[in-house]
Amino acid sequence: PIGFARFSLQYDGSGWLEVLRVDPDHQKKGCGATIWKRFIELCGIYKVPFVRMYTGLTNYASRVLGERNGLKVSYQTREGTLMAGSNINGSYGNFRKVTSSDEAERVIAPHAGIYHGYFCQNRTFYGINRSVCEGLFKDVSIWTDDNGSCVITGARFLKDQGLHLGLMGGDLDACISLAKAVFSESGLPKLVCMIPSERDDYKAALEKAGFTFPDSQIIMLERAF
């Protein structure tokens, strides 16, 4: 093979595109465009409501291929990381795990707007809706307290390589403390958190807790069908 990529379906039937790679000797010869043609065919076959992908803000080649196929930049984010061995002392405080998918939807919904209506873990972006909340309830841990704060911890894949703080809202310091407590008990090497680029308050709270943010940013492209 001279190139490959992965197309998958999310909880709500949306398409997700990832790991498009072309051998360096065959780049700029149409292989990427051919793979994208197949992507769009699969979107039709599976009747997806949306298709999404992510790339680096400065990865113009990847962005252009997406835009040529009808995707548009819909979300810009920053990714912070806290490594094990750092200041990872935390507390569960008054948090408890939600006990149903209905409760998951109720506690996530008030904070969805902060994240432009998206949920992200492992650099995988989902539109927040009932089907996605049901899927997250089954696959990750969703936490809440009596004040309505919400935290989601888990991972989509590579679960032995890191824990992801996928969403938080409410008392940020309490949310981060909860995530650090879960991280500390997990024994995993890193805790990762993706936030909207414009949320300086979230970035400041995470940096105070020991997270570091590189200068690079990540964009999500989306097309509705």
Side-chain angles (χ1 to χ4, degrees), residues 1 36 47 49 87-88 91 109 119 124 130 138 143 153 160 167 183 187 202 221:
W36 263 100
K47 297 180 173 59
N87 175 23
I88 59 172
S91 169
F119 169 79
T124 306
R130 180 168 182 79
K138 295 175 183 177
W143 307 81
T153 58
D160 61 337
L167 178 148
F183 175 45
Y202 273 55
L221 285 78

Side-chain angles (χ1 to χ4, degrees), residues 4 22 87-88 96 104 116 132 161 164 175 209:
F4 63 87
V22 176
N87 175 23
I88 59 172
R96 59 174 178 79
H116 299 249
V132 169
Q161 294 188 21
H164 291 256
C175 290

Side-chain angles (χ1 to χ4, degrees), residues 51 108 111 186:
V51 66
I108 291 171
H111 310 291
S186 73

